[in-house]
């Protein structure tokens, strides 16, 4: 749980820190002018995408309720962040890290969108079922069968014998 809660905070820090890293790496490990121009164009885009993915994870109902991201979020973000760090090292495999980072970024974005809508739909179904249960008159409510594993439910019906 500590790892998942830490990632909830880290993903926003990473939105700022990770786009800066390749610029620092370019200065340390060397690179050409065209590479720098590519970084100046690509790093703001990376910032926006990282921030969008982080925001979509953060607003998911289960993440807000548990105050922790899911393990799948941790796995995908770790992989994506590792490829971004690898890209910033500017070694012989820089192109490989760049391509894999873009592919994992696309997967991360679409996974987060899918998880958000799936979670929101599940939460909406639960809320709707609760409202339907509250809206049904007590005489028409379903009573769970005897011996069920659910909570014990006692329904008290009021019989009105008003004589006026």
């Amino acid at each position: 749980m500590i790892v998942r809660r830490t990632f909830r905070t880290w993903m926003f820090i990473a939105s700022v820190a990770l786009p800066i890293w390749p610029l620092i790496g370019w200065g340390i490990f060397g690179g050409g002018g065209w590479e720098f121009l590519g970084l100046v164009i690509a790093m703001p885009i990376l910032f926006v995408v990282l921030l969008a993915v982080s925001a979509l994870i953060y607003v998911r109902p289960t993440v807000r309720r548990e105050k922790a991201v899911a393990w799948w979020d941790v796995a995908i973000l770790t992989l994506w962040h590792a490829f971004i760090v690898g890209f910033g090292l500017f070694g012989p495999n820089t192109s490989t890290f760049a391509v894999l980072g873009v592919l994992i970024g696309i997967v991360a974005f679409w996974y987060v969108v899918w998880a958000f809508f799936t979670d929101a739909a599940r939460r909406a179904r639960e809320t709707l079922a609760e409202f339907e249960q509250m809206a049904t008159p007590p005489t028409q409510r379903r009573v769970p069968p005897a011996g069920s594993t659910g909570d014990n439910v006692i329904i008290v019906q009021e019989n009105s014998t008003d004589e006026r």
Side-chain angles (χ1 to χ4, degrees):
M1 189 65 122
I2 293 172
V3 172
R4 292 174 38 208
R5 287 188 180 193
T6 304
F7 252 87
R8 185 172 170 250
T9 305
W10 163 251
M11 61 187 183
F12 288 107
I13 296 169
S15 297
V16 175
L18 288 177
I20 293 172
W21 165 244
L23 295 170
I24 294 171
W26 178 84
I28 293 172
F29 301 109
W34 289 109
E35 288 175 343
F36 183 72
L37 181 63
L39 289 176
V40 168
I41 294 169
M43 291 308 106
I45 296 169
L46 179 63
F47 167 74
V48 170
V49 173
L50 282 168
L51 194 61
V53 167
S54 299
L56 281 171
I57 291 172
Y58 190 80
V59 299
R60 203 164 50 214
T62 54
V63 172
R64 285 182 309 188
R65 190 174 344 123
E66 296 175 6
K67 295 185 175 153
V69 300
W71 282 111
W72 279 105
D73 298 330
V74 172
I76 289 174
L77 289 178
T78 300
L79 191 61
W80 192 18
H81 294 173
F83 282 125
I84 294 170
V85 169
F87 170 73
L89 296 175
F90 287 97
N93 295 326
T94 299
S95 322
T96 306
F97 281 117
V99 170
L100 291 175
V102 168
L103 291 176
I104 293 297
I106 292 169
V107 168
F109 177 77
W110 287 111
Y111 161 74
V112 168
V113 169
W114 172 81
F116 174 77
F117 283 114
T118 302
D119 199 25
R122 185 182 48 77
R123 181 73 177 140
R125 278 193 304 274
E126 290 172 0
T127 304
L128 186 60
E130 185 177 331
F131 283 141
E132 286 177 352
Q133 178 69 21
M134 290 171 44
T136 346
T139 56
Q140 295 178 356
R141 289 189 186 156
R142 287 187 244 156
V143 178
S148 67
T149 59
D151 296 331
N152 293 335
V153 177
I154 299 174
I155 298 178
V156 178
Q157 295 180 353
E158 183 177 331
N159 293 330
S160 168
T161 56
D162 251 353
E163 295 184 27
R164 296 183 190 189

